[in-house]
């Protein structure tokens, strides 16, 4: 960002036309990359408070039973601390702030999966469709338009520069609610750039390669293991058992998008290619929409009061979503377990080639497993 700013402000014609650039300073310095932003700190506190309020009946007096885990990255540890502060505000605990376990196995499985690294991460083929789209007329038209708007014939702008301007625009909108840099784009431009970005994410973390979802095995098998324990405990005759702990993981975009894919969420029926932009305008797999700042997914298990059967829900960014196992937002847990058998009973090493319940409105919340990504700017 600093390099592009220096490039543009070195041109007198551009500065004359866009004086804001002369006063602009980079709010995202390179030495702070990977740290939690000010917005991220506040969002995590608010998210923790909302989560604590929604599941207050489950958390009251039991916050010390919650298990927290992060990756080794500092921003996930900071996310945990701020989320916990909000959680503790909604459901106060008299004890000290707990320690979060570093669990890269479940939060950064993509680094441990040799097959994923070989077939996807180190494979330039995953960029084929994004590169084709970048070389096409829709992207080149945006580059030319930005070049014209800048009004300087003696400076050359390429798509890398345009994407940096786009990122500044997006981040400043998120932080401040406005950005002078956004004037270089209209809504159609933003949609085109978003599709280019999604073409990479689709093949890197989405439905482009089976290993993208298969590698989530350490996390998905743990979800079902936790819920099986909850079901077993709830079916004991006296039912006077401790509620299995809520598990909250703090990970990354490369953690959560493969998990979405593993559970069949946001799956489009058509192909995802450079030639299919118009057909995918209203696509479900839109990373900017499904993984905003502080994106999260929560899996929750319930015991229904009337028939004592178990039900399953998935929340994405705090909203219930349709589950492919039954087509609705609430599924019988038995159907979910059968439908996602590959996720519950999986062997990570083989896949990757590496050697007491609380009553609430007629049902009982037995267990929740939540994963959040952190705001990284």
């Amino acid at each position: 960002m600093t390099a592009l700013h220096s490039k543009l402000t070195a041109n007198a014609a551009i500065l004359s036309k866009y004086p804001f650039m002369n006063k602009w300073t980079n709010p995202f310095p390179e030495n702070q990359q990977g740290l939690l932003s000010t917005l991220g700190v506040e969002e995590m506190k608010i998210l923790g408070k909302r989560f604590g309020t929604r599941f207050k009946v489950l958390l009251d007096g039991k916050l010390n039973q919650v298990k927290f885990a992060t990756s080794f990255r500092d921003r996930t540890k900071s996310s945990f601390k701020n989320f916990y502060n909000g959680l503790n505000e909604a459901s106060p605990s008299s004890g000290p702030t707990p320690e979060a376990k570093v669990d890269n196995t479940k939060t950064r499985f993509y680094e441990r999966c040799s097959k994923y690294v070989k077939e996807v991460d180190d494979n330039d083929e995953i960029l084929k469709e994004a590169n084709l789209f970048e070389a096409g007329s829709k992207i080149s038209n945006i580059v030319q338009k930005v070049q014209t708007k800048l009004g300087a014939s003696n400076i050359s702008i390429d798509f890398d520069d345009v994407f940096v301007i786009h990122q500044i625009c997006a981040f400043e909108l998120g932080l401040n609610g406005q950005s002078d840099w956004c004037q270089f784009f209209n809504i159609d431009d933003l949609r085109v750039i978003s599709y280019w970005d999604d073409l990479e994410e689709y093949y890197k973390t989405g439905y482009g390669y089976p290993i993208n979802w298969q590698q989530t095995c350490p996390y998905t098998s743990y979800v079902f293991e936790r819920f099986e324990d909850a079901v077993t405990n709830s079916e004991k005759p006296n039912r006077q058992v401790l509620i299995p702990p809520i598990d909250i993981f703090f990970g990354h975009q490369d953690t959560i998008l493969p998990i979405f894919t593993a559970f069949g969420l946001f799956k489009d029926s058509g192909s995802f290619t450079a030639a299919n932009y118009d057909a995918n305008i209203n696509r479900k797999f839109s990373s900017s929409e499904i993984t905003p700042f502080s994106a999260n997914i929560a899996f929750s298990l319930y015991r229904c009061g009337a028939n004592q059967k178990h039900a399953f829900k998935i929340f994405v960014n705090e909203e219930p979503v349709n589950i492919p196992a039954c087509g609705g937002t609430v599924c019988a847990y038995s159907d979910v377990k059968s439908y996602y058998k590959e996720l519950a009973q999986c062997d990570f090493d083989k896949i990757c080639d590496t050697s007491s319940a609380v009553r609430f409105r007629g049902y009982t919340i037995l267990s929740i497993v939540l994963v959040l990504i952190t705001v990284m700017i």
Side-chain angles (χ1 to χ4, degrees):
M1 292 180 180
T2 301
L4 174 66
H5 180 246
S6 298
K7 175 180 178 179
L8 297 179
T9 54
N11 188 288
I14 293 176
L15 269 185
S16 175
K17 193 172 183 180
Y18 300 102
F20 81 87
M21 291 186 187
N22 200 35
K23 300 177 182 178
W24 186 82
T25 56
N26 184 4
F28 321 111
E30 281 75 6
N31 63 358
Q32 292 185 22
Q33 282 187 357
L35 299 180
L36 197 64
S37 69
T38 303
L39 174 65
V41 168
E42 189 60 28
E43 280 202 335
M44 279 295 168
K45 288 180 181 177
I46 293 171
L47 184 60
K49 187 174 181 179
R50 285 202 303 263
F51 185 82
T53 300
R54 166 172 277 181
F55 297 106
K56 190 174 181 67
V57 68
L58 183 63
L59 290 166
D60 259 0
K62 303 179 181 68
L63 197 53
N64 63 337
Q65 295 180 27
V66 177
K67 289 185 178 180
F68 297 96
T70 70
S71 79
F72 74 94
R73 294 291 187 186
D74 287 340
R75 63 178 175 272
T76 64
K77 297 174 183 178
S78 180
S79 291
F80 150 67
K81 291 177 182 177
N82 289 288
F83 181 90
Y84 180 83
N85 288 339
L87 195 65
N88 192 46
E89 186 176 335
S91 299
S93 171
S94 57
T97 301
E99 292 293 325
K101 176 185 176 182
V102 173
D103 190 345
N104 292 317
T105 299
K106 298 182 186 68
T107 61
R108 297 178 71 87
F109 40 74
Y110 46 89
E111 290 183 334
R112 297 181 58 244
C113 186
S114 301
K115 187 175 181 181
Y116 172 77
V117 172
K118 180 180 179 180
E119 292 187 2
V120 179
D121 207 34
D122 288 344
N123 180 11
D124 290 340
E125 188 70 14
I126 70 167
L127 300 175
K128 176 183 175 181
E129 296 300 331
N131 288 340
L132 285 172
F133 192 67
E134 182 178 339
S137 61
K138 292 187 183 298
I139 292 292
S140 62
N141 287 344
I142 294 174
V143 174
Q144 183 57 51
K145 185 171 75 171
V146 172
Q147 176 90 53
T148 301
K149 280 193 171 187
L150 286 170
S153 58
N154 61 338
I155 188 171
S156 178
I157 296 295
D158 58 21
F159 182 60
D160 287 341
D161 296 322
V162 169
F163 189 66
V164 170
I165 295 173
H166 170 272
Q167 292 299 86
I168 298 173
C169 162
F171 288 151
E172 288 191 340
L173 275 179
L175 286 170
N176 309 318
Q178 73 86 35
S179 173
D180 290 320
W181 295 92
C182 293
Q183 64 188 288
F184 293 101
F185 308 107
N186 60 32
I187 189 64
D188 290 330
D189 299 332
L190 298 178
R191 287 171 178 159
V192 168
I193 295 172
S194 178
Y195 188 66
W196 170 82
D197 196 32
D198 287 343
L199 282 172
E200 179 176 345
E201 286 298 339
Y202 182 85
Y203 292 96
K204 179 184 176 185
T205 59
Y207 293 97
Y209 290 85
I211 191 60
N212 291 347
W213 66 265
Q214 292 168 344
Q215 65 170 332
T216 65
C217 173
Y219 179 81
T220 61
S221 60
Y222 181 79
V223 170
F224 285 100
E225 177 187 331
R226 175 60 64 207
F227 286 170
E228 284 298 292
D229 289 344
V231 169
T232 300
N233 286 338
S234 73
E235 291 175 345
K236 289 182 178 179
N238 58 14
R239 294 180 182 171
Q240 299 299 314
V241 295
L242 289 176
I243 300 171
I246 295 175
D247 296 78
I248 303 178
F249 296 85
F250 297 84
H252 309 273
Q253 180 165 313
D254 287 356
T255 312
I256 204 167
L257 278 173
I259 292 172
F260 287 168
T261 305
F263 283 88
L265 308 180
F266 311 111
K267 187 174 185 179
D268 297 284
S269 57
S271 58
F272 227 73
T273 66
N276 275 17
Y277 171 77
D278 292 331
N280 286 321
I281 282 287
N282 297 314
R283 64 193 177 279
K284 299 174 184 177
F285 190 89
S286 174
S287 59
S288 62
E289 294 183 16
I290 63 179
T291 54
F293 292 160
S294 301
N296 55 86
I297 183 169
F299 303 92
S300 56
L301 181 69
Y302 306 83
R303 188 180 66 228
C304 300
N307 56 23
Q308 298 297 294
K309 291 185 177 180
H310 297 93
F312 178 91
K313 293 183 74 173
I314 299 177
F315 297 86
V316 172
N317 301 324
E318 303 175 79
E319 295 293 334
V321 295
N322 285 334
I323 305 168
C326 70
T329 58
V330 182
C331 295
Y333 177 62
S334 57
D335 292 341
V336 169
K337 187 169 59 170
S338 175
Y339 188 87
Y340 294 117
K341 185 177 180 179
E342 282 188 86
L343 303 183
Q345 302 171 14
C346 53
D347 185 333
F348 181 79
D349 290 335
K350 184 176 181 180
I351 289 169
C352 289
D353 297 332
T354 63
S355 301
S356 72
V358 178
R359 295 286 180 187
F360 183 58
R361 293 185 182 177
Y363 56 82
T364 303
I365 307 176
L366 296 178
S367 186
I368 298 169
V369 184
L370 172 71
V371 63
L372 304 104
I373 67 170
T374 58
V375 178
M376 179 185 68
I377 290 179

